[in-house]
Amino acid sequence: MTQTLLHILALLLVLIGTFVTAIRSSRPTLSILSNEPFSYAEYDNLLGPDFEVFNYTQTLDHFNFKPESYMTFQQRYIMNFKYWGGCNTSSPIFVYMGAEIDVTKLVFISGFFQILSSRFKGLMVYIEHRYYGTSMPFGSKEEAYKDANNLGFFSSEQALADYAQLITSLKQSLSAQNCPVIAVGGSYGGMLATWFRLKYPHIVYGALAASAPILYFEGLTPENGYAVVVSNDFNSTSESCYKTIRESWYEIDRVADQPNGLLNLSKMFNTCLPLNTTQELKDSLESRYNYIAQYNYNNSLHKFCNASDALGNETYVLSKVMAGYNAVFGQRCNMVINEGLSKDFGWDWQSCTEMVMPMGRGENDTMFQAKPFDIINFTKQCELVFGVTPRLYWAPIEFGGYDIKQVLSKFGSNIIFSNGLRDPYCSGGVLQNISDSIIAIYTQEGHHCWDLHTPTASDPDWLVAQRTTEIKVVEEWLAAYI
Amino acid sequence: MTQTLLHILALLLVLIGTFVTAIRSSRPTLSILSNEPFSYAEYDNLLGPDFEVFNYTQTLDHFNFKPESYMTFQQRYIMNFKYWGGCNTSSPIFVYMGAEIDVTKLVFISGFFQILSSRFKGLMVYIEHRYYGTSMPFGSKEEAYKDANNLGFFSSEQALADYAQLITSLKQSLSAQNCPVIAVGGSYGGMLATWFRLKYPHIVYGALAASAPILYFEGLTPENGYAVVVSNDFNSTSESCYKTIRESWYEIDRVADQPNGLLNLSKMFNTCLPLNTTQELKDSLESRYNYIAQYNYNNSLHKFCNASDALGNETYVLSKVMAGYNAVFGQRCNMVINEGLSKDFGWDWQSCTEMVMPMGRGENDTMFQAKPFDIINFTKQCELVFGVTPRLYWAPIEFGGYDIKQVLSKFGSNIIFSNGLRDPYCSGGVLQNISDSIIAIYTQEGHHCWDLHTPTASDPDWLVAQRTTEIKVVEEWLAAYI
């Protein structure tokens, strides 16, 4: 365990050191961690000796029976038997739901999963989501991402069915049919954990869904939910800091309208390349604010606002913004965000198909300027980049969400929705108890997926308490398992 | 209503008059009624004025996002607003789950659905299952059934998603978002109703699943379950009749081994064409016994056994069989069954893909000769006829069934599993209460889907009582609907 913790600490340092490059779009990143371009090999090498990597021969298409549906691909999963009580003791199997990321990363970032497993003598299984990491249909990422025909099998329903098939096969080979399975996941992985419990209750006995915005779909959550929480995070950290940011957009517009405006802004914001539009700058800044509010790594909210506020009320508003910015991201030049969709970015495909999360805001409801969600333009981009049209209304039909309390109060059980109210994604999360065993555990201070992260000695009491409650609830579930 | 009843009576007469041709395979027909080759137009003309036929533009593939997944087809559904309380009263919407049959047939055969709807001021919606009736992708049955590429989208998961999408759209267009939906289905349609409640609880509030063998899958139910009930049906009707049938197989073998044996058997059994093998004859007879036991139309079990027994113990065993046979099926020549799979028969495709129900029996456990389920041979046939390989293990992974009581006792609600214990398919049904609201309502005397059939004045008390209980349970569900 010590060795593993060291690995994780090493990784966290790497993460923190590189997270400036991590942000590739002003659209918020739905991930337990942001999508920084790490080398996968780096992670593989860091996996401790208790982690074993396997491949499962997975069916390409579970729901159709065309000849191509029978094709297979190698789905990666990682197991750790260190704590497992074995197949004869009904020790649980904890399954970490791979999400939009290389599965080996999840091993490092989600140390709480190891705590849970050790607490209950559980087997640890991390399953990679299709089309991420090495779990590529058609042999390689290049082929898998080639076009909409090959990407076409990349859906959450197929991923859930992958998990169902792999777990069933695994239990059989381990003679562990009677072991309860508990699914754990964060962010999109938490959505998958929820849906897995709801759609495959015969395979998974309970789910811990951390920071899972299962309600962030059309018609379920106000589109400004995310931006409102980002704004509140800054406002509650420092009202003057919040005001600085809110004013800065208009000052950017004003400067841009002057001679050499863009050039001056480029200098002012130390952009690596000259700005082409003010929107580039605005998107970049927004993306950084989102990042700070969502993850709050290293207390970056306070870092930003302290540095900004320290300059005093009389200082030029854009200087205050840059002071905050530099305090968090350092003095390196500012890489301007590419707002567009990327053909190589799996989550963009998912956003363009069924995981369409409408995000925008109106006038004066946030610290940002108005920018309503524009499905028409988004659709155009998706068609251009992927040749695919978003199914805006599909996810709530397939996975539910409308009137969730009424629907699930008499249906379903054993789901924990954990959230931190400072996580902008909590706006699409479940924040109320739905029944005795579908419960919400949230903290006022928490950010995105903090409960799943590797516990450290400096964790605040409320975070320790949140994890303790989660363990207690899982304990109750397992005690009731026949 | 009177007019509708007259229609139904007219239909039943047609049904009964033609059911000899209805049986096309010795494999038991999983259907609320058997698959007789009616003219669909015949049914359309018989639909009363309260039934309105519509088409919905349905998505071809709900779970993938390939370019072809976005194709659409016209899915037929029928509505009847006669009893509906309207969108402002939260009157329920009763949805009849189309199954492996033209949906218009279901309107006639399932009169209890109309009773239910009238009782609760419900809107009636009958939705046709894709690849049946007129709900053909690719424009026509000929195209839809052309090859495995076009048939490939023909799956239960896609059908359930069709229902989810159509119902959501319908509720929206009727401003009926707050109306509870109750799904009703018989046989395969009952399986769909169950799975629909389990997978889409946010769309359907409760399910009445009549004679639904949701457990008749690999590893869940002994493969001889069906044949054992058929045997018991004959045995409990008349032990001597049962013995006659049991002995007849060996006598057929004995006669066949003699000179001109097959010719003599052809004459004896009045086959329309000369027999090629004894297996043809055995399959045909078995198919008739299955049919009699499953449906018991017009009390055919007693008719068969009375006529057979009337000849006395001294009569030649095959003469006794023929006496029973003629009493039920008339004196017309005996069409020998084609045992093979048919490329035009939708259920054969479904059996060859995911609805693989292992049926067979050993030595001496039934009134039939031994015939274990032979997955290898079955697979060969499926590959030959459809170019598709059965996924024997998939349905229990996707839909559950293993340890159902434990799994659903703490998960799910509002399902009625109704069965008649004389229905051979009850062997794969749920015959125990699973929780307060997932309950089994069965009768000792009932056959396949009798509770769903149109009530008549001559229905026995236990059948009336079964339906009354079902209505009462639905009433309780609706009373609890907020």
Side-chain angles (χ1 to χ4, degrees):
Chain A
M1 189 65 191
T2 316
Q3 196 184 6
T4 309
L5 275 175
L6 281 174
H7 286 319
I8 294 169
L9 283 174
L11 237 292
L12 276 178
L13 289 174
V14 178
L15 279 173
I16 292 159
T18 55
F19 71 114
V20 175
T21 52
I23 311 161
R24 49 155 304 286
S25 161
S26 78
R27 282 170 300 113
T29 304
L30 180 66
S31 173
I32 186 169
L33 74 171
S34 56
N35 299 283
E36 64 293 350
F38 276 106
S39 144
Y40 296 141
E42 203 172 341
Y43 284 93
D44 278 341
N45 293 338
L46 282 167
L47 280 177
D50 298 319
F51 293 92
E52 298 174 61
V53 181
F54 301 87
N55 276 312
Y56 178 76
T57 300
Q58 188 58 270
T59 304
L60 180 60
D61 182 356
H62 300 278
F63 307 115
N64 294 318
F65 301 94
K66 296 160 63 82
E68 65 176 6
S69 309
Y70 286 79
M71 290 172 71
T72 59
F73 66 97
Q74 294 304 303
Q75 180 169 27
R76 185 165 57 160
Y77 64 106
I78 297 171
M79 291 205 282
N80 184 331
F81 288 86
K82 189 173 177 183
Y83 305 118
W84 198 34
C87 56
N88 295 319
T89 65
S90 292
S91 294
I93 299 174
F94 288 93
V95 175
Y96 203 95
M97 309 298 281
E100 76 287 22
I101 204 164
D102 186 274
V103 73
T104 55
K105 289 189 190 179
L106 293 173
V107 174
F108 292 101
I109 204 72
S110 59
F112 179 58
F113 184 72
Q114 296 180 41
I115 307 289
L116 254 183
S117 303
S118 77
R119 176 70 185 72
F120 297 106
K121 296 189 179 167
L123 172 63
M124 290 182 244
V125 185
Y126 303 77
I127 311 179
E128 192 159 71
H129 190 296
R130 56 167 61 197
Y131 289 87
Y132 291 105
T134 67
S135 298
M136 291 293 165
F138 306 104
S140 68
K141 178 163 183 183
E142 194 185 356
E143 273 303 303
Y145 279 63
K146 196 177 71 177
D147 56 26
N149 263 312
N150 284 8
L151 278 166
F153 305 94
F154 185 1
S155 74
S156 301
E157 294 92 331
Q158 298 283 7
L160 292 169
D162 289 342
Y163 299 150
Q165 189 162 308
L166 194 158
I167 292 168
T168 301
S169 161
L170 190 65
K171 287 181 87 167
Q172 205 154 28
S173 66
L174 295 172
S175 300
Q177 281 92 339
N178 294 323
C179 291
V181 173
I182 307 284
V184 177
S187 199
Y188 170 51
M191 296 160 76
L192 292 171
T194 306
W195 297 333
F196 197 42
R197 171 63 181 156
L198 289 176
K199 297 276 190 189
Y200 295 90
H202 47 287
I203 291 176
V204 61
Y205 177 63
L208 168 56
S211 301
I214 61 163
L215 303 179
Y216 220 125
F217 291 106
E218 179 66 26
L220 302 177
T221 290
E223 65 178 52
N224 69 1
Y226 186 95
V228 165
V229 178
V230 172
S231 305
N232 290 347
D233 282 353
F234 279 89
N235 201 5
S236 64
T237 302
S238 154
E239 196 182 339
S240 58
C241 175
Y242 162 85
K243 282 183 178 162
T244 298
I245 298 170
R246 209 174 62 174
E247 286 163 23
S248 68
W249 314 112
Y250 303 97
E251 181 58 20
I252 289 171
D253 287 335
R254 198 190 62 79
V255 174
D257 281 349
Q258 293 175 345
N260 295 319
L262 276 177
L263 196 62
N264 288 335
L265 284 170
S266 303
K267 284 181 192 159
M268 230 179 267
F269 284 92
N270 188 25
T271 59
C272 302
L273 295 171
L275 290 167
N276 295 307
T277 63
T278 50
Q279 200 56 47
E280 277 182 353
L281 175 62
K282 288 180 183 175
D283 288 346
S284 290
L285 289 170
E286 181 187 338
S287 169
R288 263 66 171 183
Y289 299 138
N290 289 343
Y291 184 85
I292 289 172
Q294 185 168 321
Y295 299 104
N296 195 26
Y297 280 138
N298 275 345
N299 214 358
S300 50
L301 268 168
H302 276 95
K303 268 193 190 155
F304 184 99
C305 286
N306 286 349
S308 172
D309 289 351
L311 296 183
N313 285 338
E314 303 306 309
T315 310
Y316 181 49
V317 62
L318 296 187
S319 302
K320 289 168 77 173
V321 165
M322 272 315 286
Y325 185 94
N326 288 335
V328 174
F329 297 101
Q331 303 279 347
R332 285 176 293 185
C333 70
N334 179 358
M335 276 302 289
V336 162
I337 296 304
N338 169 14
E339 166 72 338
L341 298 164
S342 164
K343 212 180 156 335
D344 297 325
F345 191 48
W347 186 252
D348 280 351
W349 166 266
Q350 294 195 264
S351 302
C352 277
T353 51
E354 58 185 346
M355 295 293 110
V356 193
M357 300 190 167
M359 288 199 183
R361 64 262 168 182
E363 293 286 356
N364 300 322
D365 49 356
T366 71
M367 69 182 192
F368 303 103
Q369 288 179 315
K371 193 179 179 189
F373 179 65
D374 181 354
I375 183 64
I376 293 171
N377 182 45
F378 184 64
T379 299
K380 270 187 204 154
Q381 285 186 52
C382 292
E383 287 169 350
L384 191 71
V385 174
F386 291 113
V388 79
T389 305
R391 289 184 181 161
L392 179 62
Y393 301 101
W394 176 242
I397 296 177
E398 176 65 17
F399 298 115
Y402 178 75
D403 215 357
I404 192 169
K405 174 134 185 157
Q406 199 230 307
V407 170
L408 295 187
S409 65
K410 291 172 188 156
F411 187 97
S413 57
N414 296 2
I415 303 174
I416 298 171
F417 293 106
S418 75
N419 277 285
L421 297 193
R422 288 174 151 252
D423 171 15
Y425 273 116
C426 83
S427 53
V430 176
L431 301 175
Q432 56 177 342
N433 288 342
I434 285 175
S435 66
D436 284 353
S437 72
I438 302 184
I439 60 173
I441 301 178
Y442 59 85
T443 61
Q444 297 296 326
E445 300 296 313
H447 292 262
H448 201 56
C449 295
W450 274 19
D451 51 337
L452 291 192
H453 286 187
T454 307
T456 68
S458 61
D459 287 336
D461 288 348
W462 55 261
L463 181 55
V464 175
Q466 183 182 29
R467 291 187 183 124
T468 305
T469 308
E470 289 168 13
I471 289 173
K472 200 168 145 267
V473 172
V474 171
E475 189 170 32
E476 283 164 17
W477 294 348
L478 292 173
Y481 187 79
I482 304 155
Chain B
M1 188 66 192
T2 317
Q3 197 185 2
T4 309
L5 275 174
L6 280 174
H7 287 318
I8 295 169
L9 283 173
L11 237 293
L12 277 178
L13 289 173
V14 178
L15 279 173
I16 293 159
T18 55
F19 71 114
V20 175
T21 52
I23 310 160
R24 51 155 302 287
S25 161
S26 77
R27 280 170 301 114
T29 304
L30 179 67
S31 172
I32 185 167
L33 73 171
S34 55
N35 300 284
E36 63 294 349
F38 276 106
S39 143
Y40 297 141
E42 203 172 340
Y43 284 93
D44 278 340
N45 294 337
L46 281 167
L47 281 176
D50 298 319
F51 293 92
E52 298 174 62
V53 181
F54 300 88
N55 276 311
Y56 179 76
T57 300
Q58 188 59 269
T59 304
L60 181 61
D61 182 355
H62 300 278
F63 307 116
N64 294 319
F65 300 95
K66 295 160 64 82
E68 66 176 6
S69 309
Y70 286 80
M71 290 173 70
T72 59
F73 66 97
Q74 294 304 302
Q75 180 169 26
R76 185 165 56 162
Y77 64 106
I78 298 171
M79 291 206 281
N80 185 330
F81 288 86
K82 190 172 176 183
Y83 306 118
W84 199 35
C87 54
N88 295 319
T89 65
S90 291
S91 294
I93 298 174
F94 288 94
V95 174
Y96 203 96
M97 310 296 283
E100 76 287 24
I101 204 164
D102 186 274
V103 73
T104 55
K105 288 188 190 180
L106 292 173
V107 175
F108 293 101
I109 205 73
S110 58
F112 179 59
F113 184 72
Q114 296 179 42
I115 306 289
L116 254 184
S117 304
S118 78
R119 176 70 182 73
F120 298 105
K121 297 190 179 165
L123 171 64
M124 291 182 242
V125 185
Y126 303 78
I127 310 180
E128 192 159 71
H129 190 298
R130 56 166 62 198
Y131 288 87
Y132 291 104
T134 66
S135 299
M136 291 293 166
F138 306 103
S140 68
K141 180 165 183 182
E142 195 184 354
E143 273 302 304
Y145 279 64
K146 196 177 72 177
D147 56 27
N149 262 312
N150 284 7
L151 277 166
F153 305 93
F154 186 0
S155 75
S156 302
E157 293 92 332
Q158 298 282 9
L160 292 169
D162 290 342
Y163 299 150
Q165 189 162 308
L166 195 157
I167 292 167
T168 302
S169 161
L170 190 64
K171 287 180 87 167
Q172 205 154 28
S173 65
L174 295 172
S175 301
Q177 282 93 338
N178 294 322
C179 292
V181 173
I182 306 284
V184 177
S187 201
Y188 171 51
M191 298 160 75
L192 292 171
T194 306
W195 297 333
F196 197 42
R197 171 64 181 154
L198 289 176
K199 298 274 191 191
Y200 295 89
H202 47 288
I203 291 175
V204 62
Y205 177 63
L208 167 56
S211 301
I214 62 163
L215 303 178
Y216 219 124
F217 291 106
E218 180 65 26
L220 301 178
T221 291
E223 65 177 51
N224 69 0
Y226 186 96
V228 164
V229 178
V230 172
S231 305
N232 289 347
D233 282 353
F234 279 90
N235 202 5
S236 63
T237 303
S238 155
E239 195 183 340
S240 58
C241 175
Y242 162 84
K243 283 184 175 159
T244 298
I245 297 170
R246 208 175 62 175
E247 286 163 22
S248 68
W249 313 112
Y250 303 96
E251 181 58 19
I252 289 171
D253 287 335
R254 199 191 61 77
V255 175
D257 281 347
Q258 292 174 350
N260 294 320
L262 276 178
L263 196 62
N264 288 335
L265 284 170
S266 303
K267 283 180 194 160
M268 229 180 267
F269 283 92
N270 189 24
T271 61
C272 302
L273 296 169
L275 291 166
N276 295 308
T277 64
T278 50
Q279 200 55 48
E280 279 182 350
L281 176 62
K282 287 179 182 176
D283 287 347
S284 291
L285 289 170
E286 181 188 339
S287 169
R288 264 67 170 182
Y289 299 139
N290 288 343
Y291 184 86
I292 289 171
Q294 185 168 321
Y295 299 104
N296 195 25
Y297 279 138
N298 276 345
N299 214 356
S300 50
L301 269 167
H302 276 95
K303 268 194 189 153
F304 184 99
C305 287
N306 285 350
S308 172
D309 290 350
L311 295 182
N313 285 338
E314 303 306 310
T315 310
Y316 180 51
V317 61
L318 297 187
S319 302
K320 289 169 78 173
V321 165
M322 273 313 286
Y325 186 95
N326 289 336
V328 174
F329 299 99
Q331 302 280 347
R332 285 177 294 184
C333 70
N334 180 357
M335 276 301 291
V336 161
I337 296 304
N338 169 15
E339 167 72 337
L341 298 165
S342 162
K343 214 181 155 335
D344 297 326
F345 191 49
W347 187 252
D348 281 351
W349 167 267
Q350 294 195 262
S351 302
C352 277
T353 50
E354 58 185 343
M355 295 292 109
V356 193
M357 299 189 166
M359 288 198 180
R361 64 260 168 184
E363 293 285 356
N364 300 322
D365 50 356
T366 70
M367 69 182 192
F368 303 103
Q369 287 178 316
K371 194 180 179 186
F373 178 65
D374 181 354
I375 183 64
I376 292 170
N377 182 44
F378 184 64
T379 299
K380 269 188 205 153
Q381 284 185 55
C382 292
E383 287 170 349
L384 191 70
V385 174
F386 291 113
V388 80
T389 304
R391 289 184 181 162
L392 180 62
Y393 301 101
W394 176 242
I397 295 177
E398 176 65 17
F399 298 114
Y402 178 75
D403 214 357
I404 191 170
K405 175 135 183 156
Q406 199 231 308
V407 170
L408 295 188
S409 66
K410 291 173 189 154
F411 188 97
S413 57
N414 296 2
I415 303 174
I416 298 171
F417 294 107
S418 75
N419 276 286
L421 297 193
R422 287 173 151 253
D423 170 16
Y425 272 116
C426 83
S427 54
V430 175
L431 301 175
Q432 56 177 343
N433 288 342
I434 284 175
S435 66
D436 284 352
S437 72
I438 302 185
I439 59 172
I441 301 178
Y442 59 85
T443 62
Q444 297 296 326
E445 300 295 314
H447 292 263
H448 201 58
C449 296
W450 275 19
D451 51 338
L452 291 193
H453 286 187
T454 306
T456 69
S458 60
D459 287 337
D461 289 347
W462 54 261
L463 182 55
V464 175
Q466 183 181 30
R467 291 186 183 125
T468 306
T469 308
E470 290 168 12
I471 289 173
K472 202 168 143 269
V473 172
V474 171
E475 190 170 32
E476 283 164 15
W477 295 348
L478 292 174
Y481 187 80
I482 305 154

